[in-house]
Amino acid sequence: MRKESPITKENKRLKGLYIHIPFCLKKCSYCSFFSVPTKSEETVDAVIDAIVKEAEERAKPLIAPPYTLYIGGGTPTAIGERLLKLIERILKILDHLPIEFTVEANPATFSKNLLKGLKALGANRISIGVQSLNDRTLKLLGRAHTKEEALKAVDTALEVFENVNADIIFGVPYQKEKEVEETLKLLVEKGLTHISAYGLSIEEGTRLERWVKEGKIKPVSDEAWSRMFNMVHDILTSEGFVHYEISNYSLPKKACLHNLIYWTRRNYIGLGPSAASLWNNKREKNPSSIEAYLKNPKRETEVLSQKQELEELVMLYLRTERGLCLSKLPSTYREKLLEKALLLKKEGLIRIHKNRISTPHHYWPISNSITASLL
């Protein structure tokens, strides 16, 4: 039976708006996203004003219903009540509420009152950066919270919101499979609707990378990483979660629409320092510097060729449960790709059903290699 897409026929015009809040309590050891320790109130206010100005110039002409709004970072909740004032100003510019409105939250930086304020403004989904429920692992990752604080944060979020996600990380040095299993089971018991499970990668410029180079820590083996990936899949799918993208699991009809915009190459605008956009095949990126963003927010711009567009389509869709509908591709390109897919099917790396190709979930971690073989 063909699986129904979380993006319905009514939402084919769905587009996304992302707002990057670059402030954090402190930089985590694994994080390569642009973020800085929370600055003076004057700097925070200046960034907020600049984001609002950018929304007037870029989002207002393009973002209309139906759309999703996702506020990430950094740590949006690190700026407290200022976050509510920013949202008020943004929604006044857009004049319509999004169909899905997600705010990222750190267990160390939010209160029930802040969550109530977010809900009153139209937020209907909270994503909590739990990462682990093991204090030793949390310390290695540089997180500002403990296991108990994370569990309390999840409870608080569920008192206010029905739709709550928790991020976790597996494949952390010294992490055991039992630890990941216990973290998942505790979160499932809480009644979450969504869990994002990210396999750790050692990113350039992070403290983790430096520690690895200095021989202070040793990354987990590829075999251990793969075992954890499959274990996460087995545990969560057995609890009724749908593994709809390589790192994401949801209860039925609770997939994150905003992230699906990225994975299905729909249009989205990114506001704030380092935020990226894709609109009508033009990719843009804001400066990854608060000073540069405030002074002269000149964006890097790239107009993608048809070849780049098609390569991205194949790569992104093969990370998802539904896979790629071949009718999205030009006929000449489709025939060549199908020819290669038939060879990969013999190796079990590709499934072909009617006009759709997909990758079995246990091969998703090597989906980039499979994409390269197809292209």
Side-chain angles (χ1 to χ4, degrees):
M1 179 182 291
R2 181 178 173 183
K3 290 176 177 144
E4 186 63 30
S5 170
I7 295 182
T8 62
K9 291 180 181 178
E10 292 76 18
N11 293 331
K12 290 296 183 184
R13 296 179 294 111
L14 191 63
K15 59 199 77 71
L17 177 62
Y18 173 77
I19 299 176
H20 188 77
I21 306 298
F23 304 109
C24 283
L25 290 181
K26 62 175 184 175
K27 190 81 169 177
C28 295
S29 64
Y30 60 91
C31 182
S32 62
F33 293 120
F34 174 65
S35 63
V36 295
T38 306
K39 302 276 186 175
S40 66
E41 293 182 354
E42 291 79 10
T43 301
V44 174
D45 288 339
V47 170
I48 287 174
D49 288 342
I51 289 173
V52 171
K53 181 182 177 183
E54 191 183 7
E56 282 275 10
E57 295 172 351
R58 300 183 65 220
K60 186 175 182 178
L62 296 173
I63 299 297
Y67 75 99
T68 63
L69 173 57
Y70 193 106
I71 302 181
T75 305
T77 50
I79 64 173
E81 297 294 317
R82 281 176 165 77
L83 177 61
L84 302 180
K85 294 176 181 177
L86 168 63
I87 292 169
E88 285 178 346
R89 295 170 70 183
I90 295 293
L91 292 179
K92 187 175 181 181
I93 291 168
L94 298 177
D95 199 34
H96 290 89
L97 283 174
I99 63 171
E100 179 188 85
F101 180 178
T102 304
V103 180
E104 289 183 351
N106 184 309
T109 62
F110 74 84
S111 64
K112 191 171 184 177
N113 283 339
L114 181 59
L115 294 185
K116 286 182 175 179
L118 292 170
K119 186 174 183 179
L121 289 171
N124 53 21
R125 187 174 183 274
I126 293 292
S127 181
I128 304 174
V130 171
Q131 314 312 1
S132 174
L133 292 176
N134 179 283
D135 287 332
R136 183 198 63 219
T137 297
L138 288 170
K139 186 175 181 180
L140 177 62
L141 294 173
R143 301 297 289 173
H145 63 269
T146 64
K147 169 187 175 180
E148 291 308 316
E149 288 168 339
L151 289 171
K152 183 178 179 182
V154 170
D155 287 337
T156 301
L158 286 167
E159 289 173 9
V160 181
F161 288 91
E162 174 191 345
N163 201 1
V164 178
N165 170 69
D167 288 350
I168 72 156
I169 297 176
F170 65 87
V172 180
Y174 313 116
Q175 190 179 51
K176 304 297 182 185
E177 291 176 36
K178 186 67 175 176
E179 174 194 325
V180 178
E181 180 181 0
E182 289 173 353
T183 291
L184 289 172
K185 288 187 174 179
L186 283 169
L187 292 174
V188 168
E189 288 171 3
K190 292 292 183 181
L192 296 173
T193 56
H194 195 287
I195 292 177
S196 297
Y198 298 103
L200 179 69
S201 58
I202 309 295
E203 299 291 340
E204 183 179 352
T206 62
R207 295 204 306 279
L208 270 183
E209 184 205 31
R210 187 177 76 245
W211 295 339
V212 169
K213 286 182 175 179
E214 293 171 351
K216 292 181 178 178
I217 62 171
K218 184 179 179 182
V220 300
S221 67
D222 291 344
E223 294 77 12
W225 194 100
S226 294
R227 284 199 305 273
M228 288 188 191
F229 176 86
N230 288 314
M231 181 190 70
V232 171
H233 170 90
D234 291 342
I235 290 172
L236 291 179
T237 54
S238 72
E239 295 287 349
F241 284 79
V242 179
H243 192 179
Y244 69 95
E245 192 270 345
I246 185 170
S247 300
N248 286 276
Y249 300 78
S250 74
L251 293 180
K253 299 184 179 180
K254 294 295 183 180
C256 177
L257 292 180
H258 184 84
N259 284 339
L260 281 166
I261 287 172
Y262 299 146
W263 302 321
T264 54
R265 281 195 96 257
R266 293 169 189 272
N267 287 335
Y268 61 90
I269 294 291
L271 309 178
S274 82
S277 305
L278 176 68
W279 200 272
N280 291 342
N281 233 31
K282 182 168 78 171
R283 196 175 293 286
E284 295 182 310
K285 188 175 186 298
N286 285 345
S288 296
S289 157
I290 287 178
E291 291 73 19
Y293 178 72
L294 294 178
K295 186 178 180 180
N296 181 23
K298 186 176 180 180
R299 290 177 290 279
E300 299 173 12
T301 301
E302 178 187 15
V303 178
L304 302 179
S305 66
Q306 185 188 48
K307 182 174 182 290
Q308 289 173 306
E309 177 188 3
L310 294 172
E311 288 174 351
E312 283 190 6
L313 271 175
V314 175
M315 182 269 291
L316 291 169
Y317 275 90
L318 288 186
R319 289 168 51 107
T320 68
E321 178 196 29
R322 282 174 53 78
L324 173 67
C325 180
L326 294 175
S327 62
K328 294 181 178 292
L329 308 176
S331 58
T332 54
Y333 191 89
R334 180 168 63 239
E335 290 165 7
K336 291 178 182 178
L337 187 139
L338 185 56
E339 185 179 322
K340 294 176 181 178
L342 287 168
L343 295 175
L344 293 176
K345 181 184 178 183
K346 293 178 181 178
E347 301 176 42
L349 298 172
I350 285 287
R351 293 181 181 135
I352 303 175
H353 179 67
K354 294 185 179 178
N355 200 31
R356 187 175 295 274
I357 65 170
S358 60
T359 304
H361 84 270
H362 48 281
Y363 287 126
W364 281 354
I366 61 167
S367 59
N368 285 349
S369 298
I370 294 172
T371 298
S373 298
L374 286 170
L375 299 173

mmCIF file of all heavy atoms in Angstrom, residues 236-275:
data_model
loop_
_atom_site.group_PDB
_atom_site.id
_atom_site.type_symbol
_atom_site.label_atom_id
_atom_site.label_comp_id
_atom_site.label_asym_id
_atom_site.label_seq_id
_atom_site.Cartn_x
_atom_site.Cartn_y
_atom_site.Cartn_z
ATOM 1 N N LEU A 236 12.114 2.378 18.654
ATOM 2 C CA LEU A 236 11.066 3.370 18.433
ATOM 3 C C LEU A 236 9.953 2.852 17.517
ATOM 4 O O LEU A 236 8.774 3.142 17.753
ATOM 5 C CB LEU A 236 11.676 4.658 17.875
ATOM 6 C CG LEU A 236 12.541 5.431 18.879
ATOM 7 C CD1 LEU A 236 13.139 6.684 18.237
ATOM 8 C CD2 LEU A 236 11.739 5.812 20.124
ATOM 9 N N THR A 237 10.297 2.098 16.498
ATOM 10 C CA THR A 237 9.229 1.556 15.635
ATOM 11 C C THR A 237 8.375 0.534 16.397
ATOM 12 O O THR A 237 7.172 0.419 16.151
ATOM 13 C CB THR A 237 9.800 0.934 14.350
ATOM 14 O OG1 THR A 237 10.795 -0.046 14.690
ATOM 15 C CG2 THR A 237 10.423 2.006 13.462
ATOM 16 N N SER A 238 8.992 -0.189 17.338
ATOM 17 C CA SER A 238 8.214 -1.134 18.145
ATOM 18 C C SER A 238 7.243 -0.418 19.079
ATOM 19 O O SER A 238 6.269 -1.004 19.550
ATOM 20 C CB SER A 238 9.144 -2.040 18.961
ATOM 21 O OG SER A 238 9.765 -1.323 20.016
ATOM 22 N N GLU A 239 7.513 0.866 19.342
ATOM 23 C CA GLU A 239 6.636 1.670 20.199
ATOM 24 C C GLU A 239 5.624 2.478 19.387
ATOM 25 O O GLU A 239 4.949 3.348 19.924
ATOM 26 C CB GLU A 239 7.489 2.621 21.055
ATOM 27 C CG GLU A 239 8.399 1.930 22.063
ATOM 28 C CD GLU A 239 7.629 1.346 23.239
ATOM 29 O OE1 GLU A 239 6.420 1.662 23.383
ATOM 30 O OE2 GLU A 239 8.236 0.590 24.023
ATOM 31 N N GLY A 240 5.544 2.203 18.086
ATOM 32 C CA GLY A 240 4.538 2.866 17.258
ATOM 33 C C GLY A 240 5.020 4.102 16.528
ATOM 34 O O GLY A 240 4.226 4.778 15.858
ATOM 35 N N PHE A 241 6.315 4.423 16.638
ATOM 36 C CA PHE A 241 6.847 5.584 15.925
ATOM 37 C C PHE A 241 7.156 5.214 14.476
ATOM 38 O O PHE A 241 7.573 4.093 14.181
ATOM 39 C CB PHE A 241 8.122 6.090 16.601
ATOM 40 C CG PHE A 241 7.879 6.865 17.870
ATOM 41 C CD1 PHE A 241 7.601 6.207 19.058
ATOM 42 C CD2 PHE A 241 7.937 8.248 17.878
ATOM 43 C CE1 PHE A 241 7.377 6.902 20.229
ATOM 44 C CE2 PHE A 241 7.712 8.962 19.038
ATOM 45 C CZ PHE A 241 7.431 8.295 20.218
ATOM 46 N N VAL A 242 6.958 6.162 13.590
ATOM 47 C CA VAL A 242 7.271 6.001 12.171
ATOM 48 C C VAL A 242 8.654 6.591 11.917
ATOM 49 O O VAL A 242 8.903 7.757 12.242
ATOM 50 C CB VAL A 242 6.230 6.715 11.284
ATOM 51 C CG1 VAL A 242 6.589 6.561 9.803
ATOM 52 C CG2 VAL A 242 4.828 6.178 11.561
ATOM 53 N N HIS A 243 9.551 5.791 11.347
ATOM 54 C CA HIS A 243 10.898 6.266 11.013
ATOM 55 C C HIS A 243 10.808 6.899 9.629
ATOM 56 O O HIS A 243 11.082 6.274 8.628
ATOM 57 C CB HIS A 243 11.869 5.091 11.031
ATOM 58 C CG HIS A 243 13.303 5.495 10.992
ATOM 59 N ND1 HIS A 243 14.334 4.587 11.019
ATOM 60 C CD2 HIS A 243 13.904 6.707 10.930
ATOM 61 C CE1 HIS A 243 15.495 5.212 10.980
ATOM 62 N NE2 HIS A 243 15.259 6.500 10.913
ATOM 63 N N TYR A 244 10.449 8.197 9.590
ATOM 64 C CA TYR A 244 10.096 8.793 8.304
ATOM 65 C C TYR A 244 11.260 9.514 7.623
ATOM 66 O O TYR A 244 11.165 9.894 6.458
ATOM 67 C CB TYR A 244 8.891 9.725 8.452
ATOM 68 C CG TYR A 244 9.129 11.003 9.238
ATOM 69 C CD1 TYR A 244 9.448 12.196 8.592
ATOM 70 C CD2 TYR A 244 8.995 11.020 10.621
ATOM 71 C CE1 TYR A 244 9.634 13.367 9.293
ATOM 72 C CE2 TYR A 244 9.185 12.188 11.334
ATOM 73 C CZ TYR A 244 9.504 13.365 10.675
ATOM 74 O OH TYR A 244 9.694 14.531 11.388
ATOM 75 N N GLU A 245 12.360 9.718 8.324
ATOM 76 C CA GLU A 245 13.568 10.300 7.749
ATOM 77 C C GLU A 245 14.737 9.785 8.554
ATOM 78 O O GLU A 245 14.562 9.364 9.701
ATOM 79 C CB GLU A 245 13.482 11.830 7.793
ATOM 80 C CG GLU A 245 14.546 12.568 6.979
ATOM 81 C CD GLU A 245 15.812 12.888 7.770
ATOM 82 O OE1 GLU A 245 15.787 12.802 9.010
ATOM 83 O OE2 GLU A 245 16.818 13.246 7.135
ATOM 84 N N ILE A 246 15.924 9.794 7.990
ATOM 85 C CA ILE A 246 17.069 9.115 8.596
ATOM 86 C C ILE A 246 17.221 9.385 10.092
ATOM 87 O O ILE A 246 17.539 8.485 10.867
ATOM 88 C CB ILE A 246 18.375 9.472 7.839
ATOM 89 C CG1 ILE A 246 19.558 8.673 8.379
ATOM 90 C CG2 ILE A 246 18.637 10.967 7.865
ATOM 91 C CD1 ILE A 246 20.809 8.793 7.529
ATOM 92 N N SER A 247 16.942 10.613 10.545
ATOM 93 C CA SER A 247 17.148 10.960 11.951
ATOM 94 C C SER A 247 15.857 11.236 12.706
ATOM 95 O O SER A 247 15.907 11.666 13.864
ATOM 96 C CB SER A 247 18.059 12.198 12.050
ATOM 97 O OG SER A 247 19.308 11.963 11.454
ATOM 98 N N ASN A 248 14.713 10.995 12.072
ATOM 99 C CA ASN A 248 13.464 11.462 12.677
ATOM 100 C C ASN A 248 12.378 10.400 12.755
ATOM 101 O O ASN A 248 12.135 9.667 11.787
ATOM 102 C CB ASN A 248 12.951 12.670 11.885
ATOM 103 C CG ASN A 248 13.786 13.894 12.170
ATOM 104 O OD1 ASN A 248 13.565 14.593 13.154
ATOM 105 N ND2 ASN A 248 14.771 14.158 11.322
ATOM 106 N N TYR A 249 11.733 10.394 13.910
ATOM 107 C CA TYR A 249 10.666 9.444 14.226
ATOM 108 C C TYR A 249 9.474 10.220 14.777
ATOM 109 O O TYR A 249 9.641 11.133 15.587
ATOM 110 C CB TYR A 249 11.119 8.456 15.291
ATOM 111 C CG TYR A 249 12.315 7.608 14.940
ATOM 112 C CD1 TYR A 249 13.606 8.123 15.012
ATOM 113 C CD2 TYR A 249 12.166 6.275 14.556
ATOM 114 C CE1 TYR A 249 14.717 7.335 14.700
ATOM 115 C CE2 TYR A 249 13.261 5.486 14.249
ATOM 116 C CZ TYR A 249 14.530 6.020 14.326
ATOM 117 O OH TYR A 249 15.616 5.249 14.023
ATOM 118 N N SER A 250 8.291 9.823 14.349
ATOM 119 C CA SER A 250 7.098 10.478 14.888
ATOM 120 C C SER A 250 5.984 9.471 15.072
ATOM 121 O O SER A 250 5.953 8.425 14.408
ATOM 122 C CB SER A 250 6.618 11.597 13.953
ATOM 123 O OG SER A 250 5.991 11.054 12.807
ATOM 124 N N LEU A 251 5.068 9.803 15.961
ATOM 125 C CA LEU A 251 3.816 9.063 15.996
ATOM 126 C C LEU A 251 3.047 9.393 14.715
ATOM 127 O O LEU A 251 3.323 10.403 14.064
ATOM 128 C CB LEU A 251 3.009 9.447 17.235
ATOM 129 C CG LEU A 251 3.622 9.028 18.580
ATOM 130 C CD1 LEU A 251 2.714 9.459 19.725
ATOM 131 C CD2 LEU A 251 3.878 7.521 18.638
ATOM 132 N N PRO A 252 2.101 8.550 14.309
ATOM 133 C CA PRO A 252 1.358 8.811 13.071
ATOM 134 C C PRO A 252 0.777 10.226 13.037
ATOM 135 O O PRO A 252 0.236 10.718 14.024
ATOM 136 C CB PRO A 252 0.248 7.753 13.109
ATOM 137 C CG PRO A 252 0.860 6.614 13.868
ATOM 138 C CD PRO A 252 1.702 7.265 14.928
ATOM 139 N N LYS A 253 0.954 10.904 11.899
ATOM 140 C CA LYS A 253 0.449 12.252 11.644
ATOM 141 C C LYS A 253 1.110 13.327 12.509
ATOM 142 O O LYS A 253 0.582 14.435 12.639
ATOM 143 C CB LYS A 253 -1.077 12.310 11.816
ATOM 144 C CG LYS A 253 -1.816 11.388 10.856
ATOM 145 C CD LYS A 253 -3.319 11.541 10.977
ATOM 146 C CE LYS A 253 -4.032 10.620 9.982
ATOM 147 N NZ LYS A 253 -5.501 10.728 10.056
ATOM 148 N N LYS A 254 2.286 13.026 13.079
ATOM 149 C CA LYS A 254 2.997 14.011 13.902
ATOM 150 C C LYS A 254 4.387 14.328 13.339
ATOM 151 O O LYS A 254 5.241 14.853 14.041
ATOM 152 C CB LYS A 254 3.119 13.513 15.342
ATOM 153 C CG LYS A 254 1.802 13.392 16.089
ATOM 154 C CD LYS A 254 1.152 14.751 16.284
ATOM 155 C CE LYS A 254 -0.136 14.636 17.088
ATOM 156 N NZ LYS A 254 -0.779 15.958 17.283
ATOM 157 N N ALA A 255 4.609 14.011 12.071
ATOM 158 C CA ALA A 255 5.895 14.354 11.453
ATOM 159 C C ALA A 255 6.062 15.870 11.446
ATOM 160 O O ALA A 255 5.082 16.628 11.426
ATOM 161 C CB ALA A 255 5.948 13.819 10.025
ATOM 162 N N CYS A 256 7.302 16.329 11.473
ATOM 163 C CA CYS A 256 7.596 17.761 11.459
ATOM 164 C C CYS A 256 7.477 18.293 10.037
ATOM 165 O O CYS A 256 8.306 18.002 9.175
ATOM 166 C CB CYS A 256 9.004 18.014 12.006
ATOM 167 S SG CYS A 256 9.488 19.750 11.951
ATOM 168 N N LEU A 257 6.447 19.089 9.780
ATOM 169 C CA LEU A 257 6.206 19.613 8.442
ATOM 170 C C LEU A 257 7.331 20.538 7.993
ATOM 171 O O LEU A 257 7.707 20.556 6.824
ATOM 172 C CB LEU A 257 4.871 20.360 8.396
ATOM 173 C CG LEU A 257 3.606 19.515 8.561
ATOM 174 C CD1 LEU A 257 2.374 20.417 8.491
ATOM 175 C CD2 LEU A 257 3.521 18.433 7.503
ATOM 176 N N HIS A 258 7.862 21.313 8.937
ATOM 177 C CA HIS A 258 8.922 22.254 8.551
ATOM 178 C C HIS A 258 10.148 21.513 8.034
ATOM 179 O O HIS A 258 10.703 21.865 6.992
ATOM 180 C CB HIS A 258 9.310 23.147 9.729
ATOM 181 C CG HIS A 258 10.331 24.181 9.359
ATOM 182 N ND1 HIS A 258 9.984 25.378 8.789
ATOM 183 C CD2 HIS A 258 11.686 24.176 9.435
ATOM 184 C CE1 HIS A 258 11.086 26.074 8.525
ATOM 185 N NE2 HIS A 258 12.133 25.364 8.918
ATOM 186 N N ASN A 259 10.568 20.496 8.735
ATOM 187 C CA ASN A 259 11.741 19.761 8.272
ATOM 188 C C ASN A 259 11.462 19.017 6.968
ATOM 189 O O ASN A 259 12.363 18.849 6.140
ATOM 190 C CB ASN A 259 12.224 18.797 9.348
ATOM 191 C CG ASN A 259 12.967 19.528 10.455
ATOM 192 O OD1 ASN A 259 13.448 20.635 10.252
ATOM 193 N ND2 ASN A 259 13.044 18.918 11.617
ATOM 194 N N LEU A 260 10.229 18.591 6.766
ATOM 195 C CA LEU A 260 9.879 17.948 5.496
ATOM 196 C C LEU A 260 10.013 18.919 4.323
ATOM 197 O O LEU A 260 10.253 18.497 3.191
ATOM 198 C CB LEU A 260 8.465 17.371 5.563
ATOM 199 C CG LEU A 260 8.353 16.038 6.303
ATOM 200 C CD1 LEU A 260 6.900 15.714 6.610
ATOM 201 C CD2 LEU A 260 8.992 14.912 5.506
ATOM 202 N N ILE A 261 9.866 20.209 4.593
ATOM 203 C CA ILE A 261 10.091 21.206 3.545
ATOM 204 C C ILE A 261 11.527 21.123 3.047
ATOM 205 O O ILE A 261 11.796 21.173 1.843
ATOM 206 C CB ILE A 261 9.765 22.619 4.069
ATOM 207 C CG1 ILE A 261 8.243 22.787 4.192
ATOM 208 C CG2 ILE A 261 10.357 23.709 3.170
ATOM 209 C CD1 ILE A 261 7.810 24.054 4.875
ATOM 210 N N TYR A 262 12.475 20.957 3.975
ATOM 211 C CA TYR A 262 13.877 20.824 3.576
ATOM 212 C C TYR A 262 14.093 19.544 2.766
ATOM 213 O O TYR A 262 14.763 19.544 1.736
ATOM 214 C CB TYR A 262 14.788 20.785 4.804
ATOM 215 C CG TYR A 262 14.750 22.012 5.687
ATOM 216 C CD1 TYR A 262 14.905 21.906 7.061
ATOM 217 C CD2 TYR A 262 14.571 23.285 5.149
ATOM 218 C CE1 TYR A 262 14.886 23.025 7.880
ATOM 219 C CE2 TYR A 262 14.538 24.410 5.960
ATOM 220 C CZ TYR A 262 14.701 24.274 7.328
ATOM 221 O OH TYR A 262 14.677 25.388 8.135
ATOM 222 N N TRP A 263 13.540 18.448 3.253
ATOM 223 C CA TRP A 263 13.804 17.138 2.645
ATOM 224 C C TRP A 263 13.087 16.940 1.322
ATOM 225 O O TRP A 263 13.403 16.008 0.576
ATOM 226 C CB TRP A 263 13.448 16.027 3.628
ATOM 227 C CG TRP A 263 14.215 16.142 4.907
ATOM 228 C CD1 TRP A 263 15.529 16.498 5.057
ATOM 229 C CD2 TRP A 263 13.724 15.946 6.215
ATOM 230 N NE1 TRP A 263 15.875 16.528 6.383
ATOM 231 C CE2 TRP A 263 14.776 16.192 7.123
ATOM 232 C CE3 TRP A 263 12.486 15.574 6.727
ATOM 233 C CZ2 TRP A 263 14.632 16.081 8.499
ATOM 234 C CZ3 TRP A 263 12.347 15.463 8.101
ATOM 235 C CH2 TRP A 263 13.414 15.719 8.968
ATOM 236 N N THR A 264 12.087 17.783 1.048
ATOM 237 C CA THR A 264 11.389 17.681 -0.235
ATOM 238 C C THR A 264 11.685 18.889 -1.134
ATOM 239 O O THR A 264 10.997 19.093 -2.126
ATOM 240 C CB THR A 264 9.860 17.547 -0.016
ATOM 241 O OG1 THR A 264 9.404 18.633 0.806
ATOM 242 C CG2 THR A 264 9.531 16.232 0.659
ATOM 243 N N ARG A 265 12.696 19.676 -0.763
ATOM 244 C CA ARG A 265 13.190 20.805 -1.559
ATOM 245 C C ARG A 265 12.100 21.805 -1.897
ATOM 246 O O ARG A 265 11.996 22.308 -3.018
ATOM 247 C CB ARG A 265 13.861 20.341 -2.863
ATOM 248 C CG ARG A 265 15.265 19.832 -2.695
ATOM 249 C CD ARG A 265 16.009 19.722 -4.013
ATOM 250 N NE ARG A 265 16.837 20.892 -4.284
ATOM 251 C CZ ARG A 265 16.529 21.856 -5.129
ATOM 252 N NH1 ARG A 265 15.378 21.839 -5.784
ATOM 253 N NH2 ARG A 265 17.360 22.867 -5.332
ATOM 254 N N ARG A 266 11.306 22.143 -0.897
ATOM 255 C CA ARG A 266 10.336 23.207 -1.093
ATOM 256 C C ARG A 266 10.977 24.549 -0.719
ATOM 257 O O ARG A 266 12.039 24.601 -0.106
ATOM 258 C CB ARG A 266 9.093 22.947 -0.244
ATOM 259 C CG ARG A 266 8.341 21.720 -0.727
ATOM 260 C CD ARG A 266 7.263 21.276 0.243
ATOM 261 N NE ARG A 266 6.738 19.985 -0.178
ATOM 262 C CZ ARG A 266 5.730 19.823 -1.029
ATOM 263 N NH1 ARG A 266 5.127 20.876 -1.538
ATOM 264 N NH2 ARG A 266 5.324 18.625 -1.372
ATOM 265 N N ASN A 267 10.314 25.628 -1.076
ATOM 266 C CA ASN A 267 10.863 26.950 -0.818
ATOM 267 C C ASN A 267 10.859 27.283 0.668
ATOM 268 O O ASN A 267 9.877 27.014 1.379
ATOM 269 C CB ASN A 267 10.044 28.010 -1.562
ATOM 270 C CG ASN A 267 10.287 27.984 -3.060
ATOM 271 O OD1 ASN A 267 11.340 27.538 -3.516
ATOM 272 N ND2 ASN A 267 9.323 28.456 -3.832
ATOM 273 N N TYR A 268 11.928 27.900 1.124
ATOM 274 C CA TYR A 268 11.986 28.391 2.499
ATOM 275 C C TYR A 268 12.917 29.598 2.572
ATOM 276 O O TYR A 268 13.850 29.740 1.773
ATOM 277 C CB TYR A 268 12.441 27.300 3.479
ATOM 278 C CG TYR A 268 13.822 26.734 3.212
ATOM 279 C CD1 TYR A 268 14.958 27.296 3.784
ATOM 280 C CD2 TYR A 268 13.979 25.611 2.390
ATOM 281 C CE1 TYR A 268 16.215 26.763 3.536
ATOM 282 C CE2 TYR A 268 15.234 25.075 2.143
ATOM 283 C CZ TYR A 268 16.345 25.656 2.726
ATOM 284 O OH TYR A 268 17.596 25.134 2.473
ATOM 285 N N ILE A 269 12.618 30.464 3.528
ATOM 286 C CA ILE A 269 13.426 31.656 3.789
ATOM 287 C C ILE A 269 14.025 31.530 5.190
ATOM 288 O O ILE A 269 13.331 31.157 6.136
ATOM 289 C CB ILE A 269 12.564 32.940 3.713
ATOM 290 C CG1 ILE A 269 12.050 33.157 2.291
ATOM 291 C CG2 ILE A 269 13.348 34.160 4.191
ATOM 292 C CD1 ILE A 269 13.123 33.521 1.292
ATOM 293 N N GLY A 270 15.301 31.857 5.312
ATOM 294 C CA GLY A 270 15.963 31.861 6.611
ATOM 295 C C GLY A 270 16.345 33.267 7.012
ATOM 296 O O GLY A 270 16.938 34.015 6.220
ATOM 297 N N LEU A 271 15.988 33.651 8.236
ATOM 298 C CA LEU A 271 16.310 34.978 8.765
ATOM 299 C C LEU A 271 17.280 34.853 9.930
ATOM 300 O O LEU A 271 17.220 33.895 10.689
ATOM 301 C CB LEU A 271 15.034 35.686 9.255
ATOM 302 C CG LEU A 271 13.837 35.756 8.309
ATOM 303 C CD1 LEU A 271 12.676 36.459 9.010
ATOM 304 C CD2 LEU A 271 14.202 36.481 7.021
ATOM 305 N N GLY A 272 18.166 35.837 10.071
ATOM 306 C CA GLY A 272 19.100 35.840 11.187
ATOM 307 C C GLY A 272 20.505 35.454 10.758
ATOM 308 O O GLY A 272 20.714 34.951 9.647
ATOM 309 N N PRO A 273 21.484 35.676 11.631
ATOM 310 C CA PRO A 273 22.874 35.346 11.309
ATOM 311 C C PRO A 273 23.040 33.883 10.919
ATOM 312 O O PRO A 273 22.532 33.005 11.604
ATOM 313 C CB PRO A 273 23.624 35.661 12.613
ATOM 314 C CG PRO A 273 22.767 36.644 13.317
ATOM 315 C CD PRO A 273 21.358 36.289 12.971
ATOM 316 N N SER A 274 23.700 33.625 9.805
ATOM 317 C CA SER A 274 24.039 32.291 9.264
ATOM 318 C C SER A 274 22.851 31.546 8.671
ATOM 319 O O SER A 274 23.028 30.431 8.162
ATOM 320 C CB SER A 274 24.727 31.397 10.305
ATOM 321 O OG SER A 274 23.784 30.775 11.153
ATOM 322 N N ALA A 275 21.658 32.100 8.706
ATOM 323 C CA ALA A 275 20.469 31.386 8.214
ATOM 324 C C ALA A 275 20.533 31.206 6.696
ATOM 325 O O ALA A 275 20.992 32.086 5.967
ATOM 326 C CB ALA A 275 19.201 32.140 8.592
#
